[in-house]
């Protein structure tokens, strides 16, 4: 009864006010006293902790958290480049607090992306971080020896490559495709 079902999500999206949305979220177990975004953030963090405790291999949960880590790396690098604080752009839910992003793959990709940003290549920086994120996802899925997760990651990579190909075709910049397509 506390899950956000598709029907409840629809009601949430159609809510006439934040008060109405908050009432629905409170019925689903979200913190009542917190601002709406904080309540959502706290609920996501609690959910990931509960899931991590319930699965036999915590890497299963990490695979789904990776995208938040890499988003935060991009946000931090771009904010530094612009001389602004990244706080407004950071997303909770990753494996690490945004200030503690520390996997070797993520750190190496962040350094390479920072160099690309210094060379005024923001697209190259994004591509490098995306490639690292999917590489790390693929590695986790392979380590867990899960055919399902390996297939899932391959589908994520295929979808990302299709989005890239469509964008390149629409913009007439198909020469970028060889460097933009992800392996796997």
């Amino acid at each position: 009864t506390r899950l956000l079902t598709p029907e409840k999500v629809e009601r949430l999206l159609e809510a006439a006010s934040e008060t109405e949305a908050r009432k629905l979220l409170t019925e689903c177990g979200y913190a009542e006293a917190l601002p709406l975004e904080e309540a959502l953030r706290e609920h996501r963090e609690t959910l990931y902790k509960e899931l991590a405790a319930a699965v036999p291999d915590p890497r299963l949960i990490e695979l789904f958290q990776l995208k938040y880590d890499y988003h935060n790396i991009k946000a931090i690098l771009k904010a530094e480049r612009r001389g602004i604080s990244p706080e407004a752009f950071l997303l909770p839910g990753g494996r690490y607090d945004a200030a503690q992003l520390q996997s070797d793959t993520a750190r190496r990709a962040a350094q390479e992306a920072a160099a690309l940003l210094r060379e005024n290549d923001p697209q190259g920086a994004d591509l490098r971080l995306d490639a690292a994120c999917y590489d790390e996802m693929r590695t986790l899925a392979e380590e867990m020896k899960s055919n399902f997760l390996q297939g899932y990651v391959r589908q994520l990579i295929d979808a990302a490559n299709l989005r890239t190909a469509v964008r390149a075709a629409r913009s007439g910049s198909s020469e970028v495709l060889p460097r933009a397509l992800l392996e796997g």
Side-chain angles (χ1 to χ4, degrees):
T1 59
R2 296 177 59 153
L3 292 177
L4 268 177
T5 63
E7 295 80 23
K8 288 179 183 176
V9 170
E10 191 66 33
R11 282 182 36 211
L12 187 61
L13 293 172
E14 293 174 353
S17 67
E18 183 176 335
T19 305
E20 190 178 321
R22 173 159 303 285
K23 183 178 180 219
L24 178 64
L25 287 173
T26 302
E27 290 170 10
C28 293
Y30 289 76
E32 188 173 351
L34 296 174
L36 198 52
E37 285 192 31
E38 273 186 60
L40 291 169
R41 179 176 322 156
E42 182 180 285
H43 197 75
R44 183 183 312 140
E45 288 175 13
T46 301
L47 174 66
Y48 276 132
K49 286 177 185 171
E50 288 176 8
L51 288 172
V55 298
D57 188 340
R59 295 175 298 180
L60 176 63
I61 304 305
E62 289 179 11
L63 186 127
F64 294 96
Q65 293 177 299
L66 279 166
K67 65 183 175 184
Y68 298 109
D69 289 339
Y70 281 91
H71 165 85
N72 288 340
I73 291 169
K74 288 179 185 182
I76 290 166
L77 291 173
K78 289 177 182 180
E80 283 176 1
R81 175 96 168 129
R82 294 178 62 203
I84 60 174
S85 169
E87 292 302 314
F89 308 106
L90 299 176
L91 296 176
R95 297 168 302 169
Y96 307 109
D97 180 89
Q100 300 172 325
L101 292 169
Q102 56 192 345
S103 80
D104 290 338
T105 303
R107 193 172 333 142
R108 190 170 32 258
Q111 291 168 346
E112 292 170 9
L116 288 165
L117 283 173
R118 284 191 295 277
E119 295 169 12
N120 207 22
D121 185 5
Q123 184 182 37
D126 273 353
L127 292 172
R128 177 63 191 100
L129 290 168
D130 288 345
C133 179
Y134 288 111
D135 282 347
E136 204 165 344
M137 286 177 146
R138 189 174 47 244
T139 299
L140 275 173
E142 288 169 358
E143 286 175 359
M144 288 186 285
K145 296 177 179 31
S146 167
N147 290 334
F148 172 78
L149 289 176
Q150 290 174 34
Y152 172 73
V153 172
R154 280 193 302 275
Q155 286 185 355
L156 289 176
I157 293 169
D158 286 345
N161 283 339
L162 284 171
R163 283 191 303 273
T164 299
V166 168
R167 279 192 215 113
R170 285 184 179 161
S171 68
S173 58
S174 57
E175 71 280 351
V176 75
L177 275 178
R179 99 175 172 145
L181 295 178
L182 300 164
E183 290 184 32

